[in-house]
Amino acid sequence: MDNLQQWVGRAPGLRDHGHMPLAGQVPPGYCLTSNILVAHYGVLPTGHTQVREAPLGASDGAGPRAEAERLRILILEDVPMDAELVEYELQRARIPFVARRVDTRESFLRELVEFAPDLILSDYTLPRFDGMTALALARQVAPAVPFLIVTGSVNEETAVGCMKAGAADYLLKSNLARIGPAIEGALARIRAREEKARAQEALRRSEANLRAIFNNSLQAFVLIDPDGTIQALNPTAVEWSTRLLARPLQEGAQVADFVPEAAEAFRAALSGEARNVERHLQDVDGAELWFETTHAPVVDDEGSVIGVCLNARDISTRKQAERALRESEERYRDLFDNASDLVCATDPEGRFHYVNSAWHHAIGLSDVELSRRGFLDVVHPDSRARYREVVQQALAGETLTRVELVLVTSTDATITVEGNLSCTFRNGGPLILRGIYRDVTERKRVEDQLRRAERMQAAGRLAGGMAHEVNNMMTGVIGFSEFLLRSFAEEDPRRGEVEEIMRAGTRASDVTRQLLAFTRQQLLHPEVLDVNGVVGGLEKMLRRSLGEDHVLELALSADAGEIRADRGQLEQVLINLILNARDAMRPHGRVTVATGRAMLDEVYAQSHAGIGIPPGEYVLLSVSDTGIGMARETQARIFEPFFTTKPVGQGTGLGLSTVYGIVKQSDGFVWCYTEPGHGSTFKIYLPRSLDGAAPVVPAGPAGELRGGTETILVVEDEDVVRALACRGLRERGYTVLEARHGREALDRLAECRHPIGLVISDVVMPELGGRELGSQLAVLQPELPILFMSGYTGEDVIQRGLLDPGVPYQQKPFTPEGLARKVREMLDGRPAPGRRAEPA
């Protein structure tokens, strides 16, 4: 009673009513709260709904709350004053709300729908309605809305019955101060139930999703206990186990029956480590399968490993695609690397991306060396303008065919290539320049030889026809001049003029004879001749032709043999070559005339394909000089008629063409070996004649050629010669190392782990010549024997200062058998180990 009086004293507007009862003056049965509120607010007519709104305000003083934040409260109360008292307590509890009061069944049901309350406060006893019935209706219409019983008096049994019927709480009107906490508690319990319901629904849905994933996944899932017992597995795992084991895997089985080789991964997962492994298996039909398996630990909330999850997916299709791709790449790589054409790819600036083996073989540069160069660096200066032109066309989108370029190899040799050039574009810009070339150097050489042969043939036909006509005319000129000369007296001054006419006619006749020799239309008188005898008989004339400023050396081989030829024509050949050598050695020099025997085989014939050399035994007649030598361009035209490098008036250009014609008419051939700065050597090969000679007795078993197992280093800059020598020696059992020049030979010797038995070296080479190589080897390995070889004659290389006298020497051309004999002789003649060889 005291609390109520204090609460009334604090109620706004109640102090002004003088009729407020005093303590102890309330009659029995009189509801003090109801009468006070009626006196202040008035009475709500029965059966109507009254809406009350509490002032908007936040409990934390932060400002007004939004309308949507107010708590909608439906009050079921037939006494308006009691409803007002409830609202007042709600305001005191600082609960933002909007309230509606109803007191009939019909209005209660209507407001449940229209008002959609967040909370229901109901009196327990109403005149025409009661709280328990209202509770039952609320449970049907709005079961989630908290329902609180507010009554003037209720016993404990009734309260328990209300709670069992679904009431969230009950309050006594005499203790409405609990309304705030009761409402908060009821709402909290509702929220808790909703959260729990949502969590349970989410859990149910999650479990359903996981179950759907687990059961319908194309991957196999197996859940395993720490002891290896399978607790659960999905249909995919069952299907795969049947395919692999011919029986389905079941729960309670051991995982080792499924993947016995996965024991290590299983143990790792139990220790907390996940393992991914690709496994290659076979099914019961023998088909190859690939699986990617994952063994992952299963941990509880405390982080303890309570099992293992085995997940496997079939990657056979991917593996098959990878294998197909790999095989395709291997086929492409094999085709790329083993193609005979030179294939390369560069960026638009010409930097190399990749090249094939044929390119490496032709150019002689490694990938590392190419990475430091551009394509333009390997193009000959004469072809660079053409290269820039075709690159611009390719970058513009053209595909070019039959692009011809001259490239420079690592040894500074040149090769001619012909091919296609195109560009690959990406996003509208050039990405890769792709070139496919073919080495046409040999074809170009043959074509050049063919063109030269055609020019010479055409010139020969012209020269032959002209020679006949000129000879006819000169016969008349000389004959009638002689008649005229006899008609003059000895003292007649006109005789000198006629003699000049006869001398001019004779010179013209000499020219026609040279033309006839070139065209091979001259009448020959062949006979068996000793080559050494022919050279010896011309020695005095040859010395006079050279003059005192030049030295003539003769190197005549005693076993050179005999030939069948016209003596006069052979002498003409010698004189022409001597005069040609004299003009190439101004002011001083040395000419060497050598003879010898030569056995030429098919290999040598193939290396001189443009000449047409039948294999067989020949007599060699060579003329070498120490002159200025010739460039390739000059050498290509030396046998053409009327071609000369001499000033006008100092040569007819018929000297070497005459030599060519006479030699060809005698069934021989002539070859020029020359290098700028090292003079020239003309080698004439004439078939050796056996007329009248004793039959040759084949060598017996004692002269049979032996091979060996020693290691030999062959140093030669000409690829064809080097290949010939190496192949011949390898066929004899030797181990052969190759080098293209002296510096590379020194590198090979340094790298070799086996003792070298012999070095075979060319004399004239780029980088480091034979003489310089021999000097360095004499210091590094003084006991290592060296066999030198050259296209010059042996005496000629010594006279040029390229070799010292007495050194072992092999004349080119040689046959593989001849070289093998020379090698065996030198190897057998080596000093015993520990004893130094005596200097030559």
Side-chain angles (χ1 to χ4, degrees):
M1 191 63 179
D2 294 335
N3 291 335
L4 178 59
Q5 287 180 338
Q6 293 174 4
W7 177 85
V8 172
R10 291 194 301 271
L14 294 184
R15 289 194 181 93
D16 296 335
H17 295 271
H19 59 272
M20 180 179 68
L22 298 176
Q25 297 179 347
V26 181
Y30 179 80
C31 181
L32 177 62
T33 305
S34 299
N35 283 279
I36 292 174
L37 294 177
V38 168
H40 183 71
Y41 291 103
V43 179
L44 180 69
T46 303
H48 289 258
T49 300
Q50 182 180 12
V51 178
R52 297 277 187 174
E53 294 187 4
L56 288 173
S59 62
D60 56 1
R65 295 200 179 189
E67 180 74 24
E69 296 180 359
R70 295 188 181 196
L71 189 65
R72 294 188 303 275
I73 300 176
L74 181 61
I75 301 174
L76 180 59
E77 176 63 62
D78 62 329
V79 179
M81 299 307 169
D82 289 350
E84 291 289 347
L85 185 59
V86 169
E87 292 176 8
Y88 182 74
E89 287 296 335
L90 290 172
Q91 292 178 13
R92 288 188 63 207
R94 303 186 68 82
I95 297 175
F97 71 94
V98 56
R100 290 190 181 183
R101 186 182 72 85
V102 295
D103 56 3
T104 64
R105 177 188 179 95
E106 293 75 14
S107 60
F108 179 72
L109 290 174
R110 182 181 66 249
E111 294 302 331
L112 281 178
V113 177
E114 296 179 359
F115 184 53
D118 298 317
L119 180 71
I120 300 173
L121 298 176
S122 174
D123 195 0
Y124 184 75
T125 303
L126 288 87
R128 291 173 295 176
F129 199 33
D130 64 84
M132 294 301 290
T133 303
L135 176 60
L137 292 174
R139 294 285 75 87
Q140 295 176 8
V141 178
V145 178
F147 193 99
L148 279 71
I149 298 294
V150 181
T151 182
S153 62
V154 67
N155 57 33
E156 183 177 349
E157 182 180 352
T158 303
V160 171
C162 292
M163 299 296 288
K164 288 182 177 180
D169 205 347
Y170 67 92
L171 297 170
L172 294 177
K173 291 182 179 180
S174 60
N175 191 19
L176 290 177
R178 275 193 65 241
I179 194 168
I183 290 174
E184 291 294 339
L187 293 176
R189 287 192 293 274
I190 291 298
R191 286 194 297 269
R193 283 197 297 272
E194 291 176 348
E195 290 294 332
K196 181 179 180 181
R198 282 194 294 269
Q200 290 175 343
E201 175 62 20
L203 178 61
R204 184 193 63 77
R205 185 169 299 175
S206 176
E207 289 177 348
N209 292 339
L210 289 176
R211 190 176 301 106
I213 294 173
F214 185 81
N215 290 330
N216 299 315
S217 175
L218 297 179
Q219 301 183 26
F221 287 100
V222 183
L223 300 179
I224 313 163
D225 276 350
D227 62 357
T229 302
I230 296 175
Q231 290 298 318
L233 71 166
N234 67 345
T236 302
V238 175
E239 177 188 348
W240 288 358
S241 64
T242 304
R243 185 174 177 183
L244 294 171
L245 306 175
R247 56 184 174 83
L249 197 63
Q250 298 177 350
E251 295 179 2
Q254 291 294 310
V255 70
D257 296 336
F258 189 26
V259 277
E261 66 275 13
E264 182 180 352
F266 181 77
R267 287 192 296 270
L270 289 177
S271 65
E273 177 186 356
R275 288 280 183 92
N276 292 325
V277 182
E278 289 186 356
R279 304 190 184 280
H280 177 228
L281 305 172
Q282 284 188 338
D283 64 9
V284 292
D285 296 327
E288 294 186 350
L289 299 175
W290 279 91
F291 294 94
E292 184 180 68
T293 62
T294 301
H295 286 72
V298 179
V299 298
D300 58 14
D301 294 339
E302 298 178 355
S304 300
V305 178
I306 60 174
V308 175
C309 176
L310 169 61
N311 166 230
R313 62 191 185 100
D314 190 345
I315 58 172
S316 302
T317 302
R318 191 193 78 190
K319 283 293 185 179
Q320 291 169 1
E322 290 176 353
R323 178 186 299 175
L325 178 61
R326 185 169 57 253
E327 291 175 351
S328 175
E329 290 177 346
E330 289 174 355
R331 288 193 297 270
Y332 166 76
R333 176 59 60 182
D334 181 70
L335 177 65
F336 176 78
D337 284 338
N338 296 311
S340 58
D341 290 343
L342 283 63
V343 184
C344 71
T346 69
D347 61 15
E349 287 72 35
R351 291 183 292 268
F352 286 99
H353 281 192
Y354 55 82
V355 299
N356 67 342
S357 300
W359 180 278
H360 285 304
H361 179 74
I363 303 300
L365 296 174
S366 65
D367 287 329
V368 175
E369 292 170 321
L370 286 175
S371 67
R372 298 192 292 264
R373 306 189 185 192
F375 194 98
L376 193 63
D377 295 327
V378 299
V379 178
H380 191 274
D382 294 344
S383 289
R384 289 181 178 176
R386 173 59 175 163
Y387 171 72
R388 293 189 181 96
E389 176 186 351
V390 297
V391 165
Q392 291 303 316
Q393 291 177 280
L395 294 177
E398 295 185 43
T399 297
L400 296 98
T401 59
R402 301 185 66 82
V403 175
E404 184 175 304
L405 299 170
V406 178
L407 306 182
V408 181
T409 69
S410 59
T411 60
D412 293 331
T414 60
I415 62 171
T416 303
V417 297
E418 181 183 84
N420 304 333
L421 184 65
S422 60
C423 183
T424 299
F425 293 85
R426 178 178 295 172
N427 298 327
L431 181 65
I432 293 292
L433 275 172
R434 181 177 52 257
I436 304 176
Y437 303 97
R438 178 163 296 176
D439 187 347
V440 295
T441 305
E442 181 63 20
R443 192 194 77 190
K444 297 292 289 186
R445 185 185 68 82
V446 173
E447 288 176 352
D448 290 342
Q449 290 179 346
L450 180 60
R451 281 193 293 270
R452 287 199 300 270
E454 290 174 347
R455 288 198 301 269
M456 294 177 69
Q457 184 178 7
R461 287 194 297 267
L462 174 63
M466 185 177 65
H468 285 291
E469 295 298 326
V470 170
N471 276 339
N472 291 334
M473 291 185 290
M474 289 304 102
T475 300
V477 169
I478 295 172
F480 284 106
S481 296
E482 186 175 351
F483 290 148
L484 184 59
L485 185 63
R486 286 201 299 265
S487 66
F488 294 140
E490 291 292 335
E491 65 277 4
D492 194 324
R494 291 174 295 180
R495 289 180 63 90
E497 297 173 353
V498 176
E499 289 173 351
E500 285 298 328
I501 293 174
M502 294 180 66
R503 281 193 290 271
T506 302
R507 287 196 299 272
S509 181
D510 292 338
V511 171
T512 60
R513 282 197 300 271
Q514 289 180 327
L515 287 173
L516 289 173
F518 165 71
T519 57
R520 304 175 230 172
Q521 298 178 30
Q522 215 167 229
L523 182 61
L524 300 181
H525 301 283
E527 56 182 312
V528 176
L529 299 175
D530 178 14
V531 175
N532 291 343
V534 175
V535 175
L538 283 177
E539 182 178 357
K540 292 183 179 180
M541 178 184 295
L542 298 179
R543 293 187 186 279
R544 286 196 302 270
S545 299
L546 280 176
E548 296 180 356
D549 294 336
H550 304 93
V551 176
L552 175 65
E553 298 285 348
L554 300 182
L556 307 181
S557 173
D559 63 345
E562 299 172 332
I563 61 173
R564 184 172 181 81
D566 186 299
R567 177 182 290 273
Q569 296 303 310
L570 185 59
E571 291 175 347
Q572 183 67 46
V573 166
L574 269 173
I575 293 172
N576 286 1
L577 291 177
I578 290 294
L579 295 177
N580 190 72
R582 179 197 64 188
D583 295 338
M585 298 188 300
R586 295 176 181 173
H588 303 286
R590 177 184 293 104
V591 176
T592 301
V593 178
T595 61
R597 179 184 298 184
M599 177 64 72
L600 305 182
D601 57 9
E602 293 182 358
V603 176
Y604 186 82
Q606 292 173 0
S607 65
H608 298 75
I611 301 177
I613 308 171
E617 191 172 0
Y618 289 82
V619 173
L620 169 64
L621 173 62
S622 68
V623 177
S624 304
D625 63 67
T626 58
I628 60 175
M630 289 178 283
R632 288 178 179 266
E633 295 77 10
T634 302
Q635 183 184 5
R637 301 187 60 190
I638 56 176
F639 296 123
E640 293 181 9
F642 308 112
F643 173 79
T644 180
T645 58
K646 299 174 184 177
V648 177
Q650 296 187 19
T652 62
L654 290 173
L656 291 179
S657 62
T658 301
V659 170
Y660 178 85
I662 293 174
V663 172
K664 295 298 288 184
Q665 195 171 3
S666 301
D667 297 327
F669 65 94
V670 57
W671 180 256
C672 177
Y673 183 86
T674 181
E675 292 185 19
H678 292 285
S680 304
T681 295
F682 285 86
K683 294 182 177 181
I684 298 171
Y685 293 92
L686 295 170
R688 189 166 184 265
S689 175
L690 301 177
D691 293 349
V696 178
V697 179
E704 194 172 17
L705 178 61
R706 294 186 300 109
T709 59
E710 294 88 347
T711 299
I712 300 173
L713 173 61
V714 177
V715 190
E716 169 63 60
D717 60 323
E718 287 291 334
D719 294 341
V720 174
V721 177
R722 187 175 67 253
L724 171 66
C726 292
R727 178 177 177 180
L729 294 174
R730 287 186 179 116
E731 289 179 351
R732 298 292 177 178
Y734 298 102
T735 299
V736 183
L737 305 179
E738 303 181 35
R740 293 170 294 180
H741 47 71
R743 295 194 186 281
E744 189 173 348
L746 294 175
D747 294 339
R748 291 287 185 273
L749 288 170
E751 296 169 357
C752 185
R753 302 303 181 189
H754 305 286
I756 303 295
L758 177 67
V759 175
I760 303 175
S761 175
D762 192 16
V763 176
V764 180
M765 295 180 296
E767 296 284 339
L768 191 69
R771 181 182 179 88
E772 293 80 6
L773 174 62
S775 299
Q776 294 194 31
L777 290 180
V779 176
L780 297 174
Q781 300 187 38
E783 296 183 4
L784 180 61
I786 305 177
L787 173 62
F788 293 98
M789 57 184 178
S790 176
Y792 295 109
T793 61
E795 291 296 323
D796 194 38
V797 294
I798 294 174
Q799 292 168 2
R800 293 170 189 270
L802 300 176
L803 290 177
D804 295 329
V807 298
Y809 182 78
Q810 173 65 53
Q811 174 71 47
K812 295 179 183 177
F814 54 80
T815 63
E817 181 177 352
L819 179 63
R821 288 187 181 278
K822 187 72 173 181
V823 166
R824 191 67 260 166
E825 292 174 3
M826 291 193 64
L827 291 173
D828 292 342
R830 287 180 299 176
R835 181 167 56 89
R836 295 178 59 88
E838 298 298 328

